[in-house]
């Protein structure tokens, strides 16, 4: 009787729990907009925290290097931690000061001038193209109409469109103040995270060992997390350093070549170089278009320079800094960029490669573990010619079919000799002018 009562209460409780779960799922589905807005507000409130964590993660290698340097010179642990964190913060602030002092004024000088001159530059370039078409007997009316329409719409957008709303002074000042405030809070959070990173790491591992029962599973999770952390840190820090070097080289070389808009173009090239594969093209195309409107000859010089710079970066600078940090082939790099760009947009192009490299690593470890349990090899090359397994569970191989080629020139049966004999036989079948067939033999001389 007691067993039946327990079963009744058990099934009643499970049914009630199922109804509650269904009710909650329905409520969530009916209020997706409100939930998304709530999550957006929460993420907005936590934006300084997230920014501080990202800054701490990016600057951790510099902090660790400086702390190890101080510990090597017999500085105690706590002062070394404080001094290394202070040094990293000063480096970040110095970088921001240099950015504001050198780059921002150049942008404010170049951008308004560029926006003001852009319609005239388009008209001038279009007029030169029209004159060239007219000199070669081609109709240029379509190009003239297109240029007039483009410049008219651009001027209308400048006067009455979204730019007037964007340049609203009160809104810009408010947004800038909020961004600066969030960034300052992010720097403070970064300092706290760098100072207390051991405690945060210990709390995370403590939670992991408390929730997961099997110790072997905990060890595997920690091992995989270390590898994923190495993939992200090596790729992100290496790519940032590589882009900074490329931007500086571009600025120096363009200054030597006396190119217009050197600071603006250098910033574009340096920032877009962070994106693998497509970054150089994304940065080069608008820069070439800008120079093309100013001076087509300099645009051609810049295109050649960017090509040489990207070859140097891809074959010398990049491999030296990044190495094989992701473990992905060129195909999977391209695949990850296209995939994550579709789901995450710009951030997908920035972080798609290390994200996919992490998934690729986990999938490879899972597959290799399953193969080890079956006593099968884990090298990919062992499966190229595999055709199945035998009774012992070992791989069986089949030789790939090879195309048999006849020799071209060597041997009596070579293609050349066969073609020569065929041509000789055909020539022997051609009738001779005297009515006899040519047999290619030697005939005795006729009597005079």
């Amino acid at each position: 009787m007691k067993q039946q009562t327990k079963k009744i209460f058990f099934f009643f409780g499970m049914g009630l729990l199922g109804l509650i779960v269904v009710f909650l799922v329905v409520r969530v589905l009916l209020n997706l907009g409100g939930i998304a807005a709530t999550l957006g507000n929460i993420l907005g409130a936590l934006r300084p925290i997230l920014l501080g964590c990202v800054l701490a993660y990016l600057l951790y290698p510099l902090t660790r290097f400086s702390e190890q340097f101080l510990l090597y010179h017999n500085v105690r642990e706590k002062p070394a931690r404080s001094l290394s964190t202070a040094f990293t913060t000063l480096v970040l602030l110095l970088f921001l000061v240099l950015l504001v002092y050198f780059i921002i004024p150049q942008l404010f000088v170049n951008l308004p001038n560029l926006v003001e001159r852009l319609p005239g530059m388009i008209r001038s370039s279009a007029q030169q193209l029209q004159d060239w078409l007219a000199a070669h007997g081609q109709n240029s009316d379509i190009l003239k109409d297109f240029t007039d329409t483009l410049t008219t719409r651009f001027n209308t957008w400048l006067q009455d469109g979204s730019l007037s709303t964007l340049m609203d002074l009160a809104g810009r000042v408010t947004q800038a103040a909020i961004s600066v405030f969030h960034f300052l809070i992010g720097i403070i959070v970064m300092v706290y995270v760098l100072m207390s990173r051991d405690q945060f790491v210990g709390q995370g591992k403590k939670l992991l060992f408390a929730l997961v029962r099997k110790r072997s599973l905990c060890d595997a999770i920690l091992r995989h997390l270390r590898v994923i952390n190495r993939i992200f840190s090596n790729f992100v820090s290496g790519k940032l350093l590589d882009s900074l070097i490329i931007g500086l080289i571009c600025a120096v070389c363009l200054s030597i070549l006396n190119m217009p808009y050197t600071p603006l173009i250098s910033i574009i090239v340096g920032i877009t170089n962070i994106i693998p594969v497509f970054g150089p093209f994304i940065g080069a195309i608008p820069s070439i278009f800008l120079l093309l409107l100013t001076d087509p000859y300099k645009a051609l010089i810049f295109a050649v320079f960017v090509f040489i710079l990207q070859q140097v970066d891809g074959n010398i600078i990049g491999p030296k800094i990044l190495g094989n940090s992701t473990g992905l082939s060129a195909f999977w790099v391209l695949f990850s960029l296209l995939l994550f760009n579709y789901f995450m947009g710009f951030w997908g192009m920035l972080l798609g490669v290390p994200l996919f490299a992490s998934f690729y690593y986990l999938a490879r470890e899972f597959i290799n573990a399953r193969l080890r349990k079956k006593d099968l090899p884990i090298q990919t090359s062992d499966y190229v010619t595999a055709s199945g397994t035998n009774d012992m569970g070992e791989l069986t191989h089949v030789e790939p079919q090879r195309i048999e080629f006849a020799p071209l020139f060597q041997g009596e049966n070579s293609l050349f000799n066969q073609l020569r004999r065929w041509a000789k036989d055909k020539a022997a079948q051609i009738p001779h002018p005297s009515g006899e067939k040519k047999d290619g033999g030697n005939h005795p001389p006729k009597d005079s």
Side-chain angles (χ1 to χ4, degrees), residues 150-377:
L150 181 63
T151 53
T152 301
R153 291 185 177 181
F154 184 77
N155 290 327
T156 304
W157 180 69
L158 286 178
Q159 297 173 2
D160 304 325
S162 59
L163 189 62
S164 61
T165 304
L166 180 65
M167 298 183 66
D168 181 68
L169 183 60
R172 291 198 321 176
V173 170
T174 303
Q175 189 65 32
I178 294 175
S179 300
V180 171
F181 179 70
H182 284 172
F183 193 80
L184 292 177
I185 297 178
I187 294 178
I188 297 173
V189 172
M190 179 198 74
V191 173
Y192 278 113
V193 172
L194 290 176
M195 289 290 296
S196 306
R197 60 180 183 270
D198 292 339
Q199 182 179 0
F200 291 135
V201 171
Q203 289 174 350
K205 292 181 180 179
K206 181 179 178 181
L207 180 63
L208 175 65
F209 281 101
L211 296 178
V212 180
R213 293 182 178 181
K214 294 183 179 180
R215 294 184 179 181
S216 59
L217 182 58
C218 291
D219 297 339
I221 292 175
L222 291 177
R223 185 177 70 254
H224 295 328
L225 287 178
R226 284 194 292 268
V227 174
I228 293 173
N229 173 65
R230 186 169 65 249
I231 291 173
F232 267 88
S233 60
N234 291 345
F235 179 82
V236 174
S237 59
K239 202 62 182 174
L240 290 176
L241 179 60
D242 176 60
S243 300
L244 177 61
I245 294 174
I246 292 300
L248 293 176
I249 294 176
C250 183
V252 172
C253 295
L254 292 185
S255 299
I256 296 174
L257 295 173
N258 196 23
M259 291 285 181
Y261 307 109
T262 294
L264 180 61
I265 293 176
S266 301
I267 293 172
I268 294 175
V269 171
I271 292 177
T272 55
N273 193 73
I274 300 175
I275 303 173
V277 182
F278 299 113
F281 301 100
I282 296 175
I285 291 175
S287 302
I288 292 174
F289 175 75
L290 180 61
L291 292 174
L292 186 64
L293 296 176
T294 306
D295 189 344
Y297 178 71
K298 290 186 176 181
L300 178 61
I301 295 177
F302 175 76
V304 175
F305 165 74
V306 167
F307 176 77
I308 297 175
L309 180 63
Q310 294 305 323
Q311 293 300 315
V312 172
D313 179 35
N315 296 288
I316 300 176
I317 301 177
K320 291 292 183 182
I321 297 176
L322 294 174
N324 193 20
S325 58
T326 60
L328 296 178
S329 63
F331 171 79
W332 291 118
V333 170
L334 181 61
F335 176 84
S336 61
L337 287 173
L338 296 176
L339 178 65
F340 283 93
N341 177 56
Y342 176 79
F343 289 107
M344 300 171 59
F346 176 75
W347 291 106
M349 298 193 72
L350 288 179
L351 302 176
V353 173
L355 282 173
F356 187 82
S358 301
F359 296 148
Y360 186 88
Y361 162 76
L362 294 175
R364 183 181 60 198
E365 290 296 312
F366 173 76
I367 293 172
N368 290 343
R370 296 296 299 265
L371 291 175
R372 290 190 187 97
K373 289 183 178 180
K374 298 180 179 181
D375 294 329
L376 292 174

Side-chain angles (χ1 to χ4, degrees), residues 3-77:
Q3 294 294 334
Q4 294 179 353
T5 305
K6 288 183 178 180
K7 288 184 179 180
I8 292 173
F9 277 109
F10 174 77
F11 288 116
F12 177 77
M14 292 299 295
L16 181 61
L17 180 61
L19 292 176
I20 293 174
V21 170
V22 172
F23 173 76
L24 292 177
V25 170
V26 172
R27 287 294 302 271
V28 168
L29 293 177
L30 293 178
N31 196 25
L32 287 178
I35 293 175
T38 303
L39 292 177
N41 294 331
I42 294 174
L43 291 177
L46 296 178
R47 187 176 302 170
I49 305 296
L50 297 176
L51 177 61
C53 294
V54 171
L55 290 175
Y57 185 79
L58 294 177
L59 296 176
Y60 170 71
L62 178 61
T63 307
R64 183 175 180 273
F65 175 81
S66 57
E67 182 179 354
Q68 294 294 327
F69 178 80
L70 294 174
L71 291 175
Y72 177 78
H73 289 83
N74 299 323
V75 179
R76 288 182 297 178
E77 185 176 353

